[in-house]
Amino acid sequence: MDKKLIGIDLGGTTIKFAILTTNGDVQQKWSIETNILDEGRHIVPDIIESINHRISLYEMKHEDFIGIGMGTPGSVDIKKGTVVGAYNLNWTKKQNVKAQIEEATGIPFVLDNDANVAALGERWKGAGENNPDVVFITLGTGVGGGIIAEGNLLHGVNGCAGEIGHVTVDPGGFECTCGKRGCLETVSSATGVVRVARHMSEEYAGDSQLKQAIDDGQDVSSKDVFDYAQADDPFALMVVDRVCYFLGLAIGNVGNTLNPSSVVIGGGVSAAGEFLRSRVQTYFEEFTFPEVRTSTQVKLAQLGNEAGVIGAASLALQFMEKE
């Protein structure tokens, strides 16, 4: 029997699991709720219990698996297999994840930051088409990123490579949770899009359903902003143009620095699809020099929620091959 991989995507509300072939085909998938009570101390035991239960349910053995890969929030030490600062999991103290999971399952284990892992997924089986040079940007509650250069995931000296959400695109702009101002995350995340809309609405005087909704104190989401824009609301179109300007600027600079085959945009905001991508493309072309403009593509992610588990399996495969 061909050996399998297990991919895990650890999130603040759910933990997704999948069993995959070495070609990246998902054969089984399931999920459990994330129990973040008691400083998140139930999370790792729950993961172990779920893996062992499924292996026995499918009448498999632990030696049938090459390895387990996992994407997690927080700061990750890949060599030691530890996580710290994953606040949405209540993990404020260092967690020795690798040691616990390997001891309890007998399967080699590796983990990395969730945005890096999603980047591996999109590179392997998604829009990246398994090219060796791919950058992934995820536009969600925040803005994350992962860089694969010449086939290797880049981490940097302190694990901060790929923090595209903290590229400065608007000097002196909105304050970011990181403490500095004008980060891409402050204007292109789901919350950032709304922040831009609220800020611009103060000066906009024309007719607009979006402006009216904001002025009436309604709860406006980034999806609402894009929906209004797609319905030709003049103010919403201005907001989207501003957001895409900042995204195009950041992606253009990434293109000029790395010249990947593609920059892949994923996450909740990317659900706006080609309406978003084409506008980002216009500004990307404005901010890149000719050789990059013609060789680096701006693409939409293809894997959706499966990017995490597929990327985690890819991480396990790469890591075990190097060992």
Side-chain angles (χ1 to χ4, degrees), residues 179-231:
K180 70 185 191 72
R181 288 186 173 275
C183 294
L184 180 65
E185 185 167 296
T186 66
V187 288
S188 294
S189 63
T191 46
V193 171
V194 176
R195 188 184 288 126
V196 171
R198 290 189 184 285
H199 181 72
M200 288 177 67
S201 75
E202 293 169 15
E203 292 181 359
Y204 185 80
D207 282 341
S208 158
Q209 285 183 284
L210 173 60
K211 177 173 166 63
Q212 197 174 342
I214 291 170
D215 289 349
D216 288 348
Q218 291 177 31
D219 203 13
V220 172
S221 69
S222 61
K223 182 181 184 302
D224 295 333
V225 174
F226 278 94
D227 285 348
Y228 281 122
Q230 283 175 293

Side-chain angles (χ1 to χ4, degrees), residues 9-301:
D9 180 7
L10 172 55
T13 51
T14 57
I15 308 168
K16 300 185 191 75
F17 299 81
I19 295 173
L20 301 92
T21 66
T22 50
N23 292 327
D25 299 320
V26 176
Q27 294 193 316
Q28 304 283 351
K29 59 180 179 176
W30 71 96
S31 66
I32 60 173
E33 280 185 39
T34 311
N35 181 355
I36 63 169
L37 297 174
D38 307 321
E39 295 187 332
R41 67 168 59 108
H42 304 286
I43 293 171
V44 174
D46 286 353
I47 288 170
I48 291 165
E49 195 276 328
S50 190
I51 289 171
N52 286 336
H53 168 66
R54 290 285 170 153
I55 288 174
S56 127
L57 188 69
Y58 300 136
E59 297 182 343
M60 298 176 82
K61 301 186 198 65
H62 293 82
E63 50 268 30
D64 294 335
F65 294 90
I66 295 169
I68 302 168
M70 184 169 91
T72 173
S75 300
V76 175
D77 183 322
I78 294 166
K79 288 195 174 71
K80 291 178 182 164
T82 59
V83 185
V84 71
Y87 300 109
N88 62 336
L89 303 174
N90 274 344
W91 279 356
T92 50
K93 300 188 183 82
K94 189 177 284 184
Q95 307 288 319
N96 290 307
V97 181
K98 177 182 166 78
Q100 292 179 70
I101 291 180
E102 284 189 341
E103 186 183 343
T105 64
I107 303 170
F109 177 88
V110 60
L111 80 169
D112 206 331
N113 171 271
D114 48 7
N116 281 344
V117 166
L120 284 174
E122 278 295 339
R123 178 256 171 145
W124 190 24
K125 300 298 286 185
E129 297 178 9
N130 212 21
N131 281 310
D133 296 274
V134 175
V135 175
F136 178 65
I137 299 177
T138 174
L139 310 173
T141 317
V143 173
I147 297 169
I148 297 136
E150 296 175 4
N152 295 307
L153 196 52
L154 300 189
H155 293 96
V157 72
N158 201 30
C160 299
E163 287 287 357
I164 296 161
H166 297 292
V167 169
T168 303
V169 291
D170 186 20
F174 300 123
E175 193 170 341
C176 183
T177 51
C178 77
K180 70 185 191 72
R181 288 186 173 275
C183 294
L184 180 65
E185 185 167 296
T186 66
V187 288
S188 294
S189 63
T191 46
V193 171
V194 176
R195 188 184 288 126
V196 171
R198 290 189 184 285
H199 181 72
M200 288 177 67
S201 75
E202 293 169 15
E203 292 181 359
Y204 185 80
D207 282 341
S208 158
Q209 285 183 284
L210 173 60
K211 177 173 166 63
Q212 197 174 342
I214 291 170
D215 289 349
D216 288 348
Q218 291 177 31
D219 203 13
V220 172
S221 69
S222 61
K223 182 181 184 302
D224 295 333
V225 174
F226 278 94
D227 285 348
Y228 281 122
Q230 283 175 293
D232 283 335
D233 181 291
F235 172 60
L237 283 164
M238 285 171 63
V239 174
V240 167
D241 182 68
R242 189 89 178 128
V243 167
C244 292
Y245 164 85
F246 289 128
L247 264 171
L249 174 61
I251 292 173
N253 287 333
V254 166
N256 292 336
T257 307
L258 296 164
N259 188 204
S261 60
S262 54
V263 178
V264 180
I265 304 172
V269 176
S270 75
E274 183 58 21
F275 187 78
L276 168 79
R277 196 211 65 80
S278 60
R279 285 162 171 74
V280 172
Q281 176 81 35
T282 300
Y283 286 113
F284 171 80
E285 290 174 8
E286 185 180 321
F287 294 122
T288 45
F289 70 102
E291 287 76 12
V292 171
R293 199 176 306 144
T294 54
S295 58
T296 294
Q297 292 181 283
V298 179
K299 293 182 167 185
L300 292 167

